[in-house]
Amino acid sequence: MPLSLRMKAAILTENSQPLTLADLRMPDALSFGQVHVKIHYSGICGAQINEIDGAKGPDKFLPHLLGHEGSGTVQRIGAGVKTVKPGDRVVLHWRPSEGLQCDAPKYDWNGRTVNAGWVTTFNDEAIISENRLTVIPADFDLRLAPLFGCAVTTAVGVINHDAQLKIGQSVVVIGVGGVGLNIVQAANMVCACPIIGVDVSDNKVAMARQWGADHAFNSKTTPDYLDRIRAIIGPQGADVVIDTTGNARVIEAAYDLTHPDGRTILVGVPRQGDKVSIYTLPLHFKKVLKGSHGGSSAPDIEIPRLIRLLGCGRMKLDGLITHEFPLADINEALRLFRTGEAGRILINMGNAPWTAAA
């Protein structure tokens, strides 16, 4: 079968607007450190919603591609690439790992340039930086593999590296979506106690209990949830409180709920301009307030470990993926994601009806 240099993509052309479906032309030649990957599945993360909404301010790269977690097969490699080869099955991830970091690719859209970062996954073919790819076993489920591109590796990194959660310590996880559920699972794996989950969705509250939470509360329907949590863990608060929502008021509550000797870990990113008000005196003693950057994970090291844990039954991913859409329906997938009622949503790059923009 001849190698395709055409790709189907969902392009961000304007903030706060639906993505534009288009056919793009890939460069004929790869530059140093670049890898051409056929993408099979992509996940959707809150980071893409933030990009679409311009949460961090004006977007100077429009039009550009999106997506930072996926699974694929290597098609061809550029000069200097040593960690992957054509035919390898890979996880695409946003955290850098082993290998070269290349120049970001650019694509042609009927004479118009479309920008891209070192990894994009809302497209069925892509040029990816070598250090955003990790080889996985040839028989590993490509539908599950995108979960290791962000949700699972971030969650485990948050517990291991950021929170440094110890056996028997208490932990509260606020926001138990794709990342939050895996944080609950990782906390359970290191024998934290108690583990408490909080969300505004009854479905996610129920899943948190299934994934290892000893207690879980819907903060929307249980207005006194903070008092209930303190009744469980003690009036001084939890050893670790992790926020995945990025909501400024929730961050304040998470900090207040943390023990004077504890750690507040911020996984979610606030919108530009959102201010958080906290009492800083405890930070001069033993209290820690820390922002997480993907759990400080090293994908090339941690993904093989996590696959081993999954294989021996010490980790589960059952039920985490709740919906699957073709790339042609990505705007509907994004709409569902915004409701907060879905788990992880997959985009399937298989053959499906396609209408591209001119």
Side-chain angles (χ1 to χ4, degrees), residues 90-113:
V90 290
V91 172
L92 295 83
H93 43 78
W94 67 273
R95 286 279 302 174
S97 62
E98 184 182 11
L100 299 170
Q101 181 155 296
C102 69
D103 291 334
K106 296 181 184 296
Y107 303 100
D108 178 73
W109 181 15
N110 296 328
R112 187 180 183 186
T113 297

Side-chain angles (χ1 to χ4, degrees), residues 262-338:
R263 297 173 296 286
T264 308
I265 309 299
L266 308 182
V267 180
V269 178
R271 295 182 62 87
Q272 186 183 44
D274 284 355
K275 304 297 183 182
V276 175
S277 178
I278 62 171
Y279 180 54
T280 62
L281 180 63
L283 297 176
H284 294 272
F285 296 93
K286 292 185 177 181
K287 194 165 188 172
V288 173
L289 173 64
K290 181 178 181 179
S292 177
H293 191 258
S296 300
S297 64
D300 57 307
I301 296 172
E302 295 178 27
I303 288 175
R305 292 176 180 171
L306 296 171
I307 289 176
R308 287 199 302 271
L309 284 170
L310 188 66
C312 68
R314 297 185 184 180
M315 171 178 279
K316 68 176 183 177
L317 299 176
D318 302 338
L320 187 62
I321 299 169
T322 59
H323 297 79
E324 187 173 312
F325 292 82
L327 184 58
D329 293 337
I330 192 166
N331 286 309
E332 177 60 21
L334 292 167
R335 185 205 62 76
L336 176 62
F337 185 95
R338 289 177 182 276

Side-chain angles (χ1 to χ4, degrees), residues 57-119:
D59 191 333
K60 62 182 179 180
F61 296 106
L62 296 173
H64 65 79
L65 302 185
L66 296 169
H68 69 201
E69 57 186 77
S71 62
T73 301
V74 174
Q75 304 297 295
R76 53 186 177 133
I77 61 175
V81 173
K82 295 181 179 179
T83 64
V84 299
K85 64 183 184 304
D88 281 345
R89 300 289 184 93
V90 290
V91 172
L92 295 83
H93 43 78
W94 67 273
R95 286 279 302 174
S97 62
E98 184 182 11
L100 299 170
Q101 181 155 296
C102 69
D103 291 334
K106 296 181 184 296
Y107 303 100
D108 178 73
W109 181 15
N110 296 328
R112 187 180 183 186
T113 297
V114 175
N115 296 305
W118 294 302
V119 58

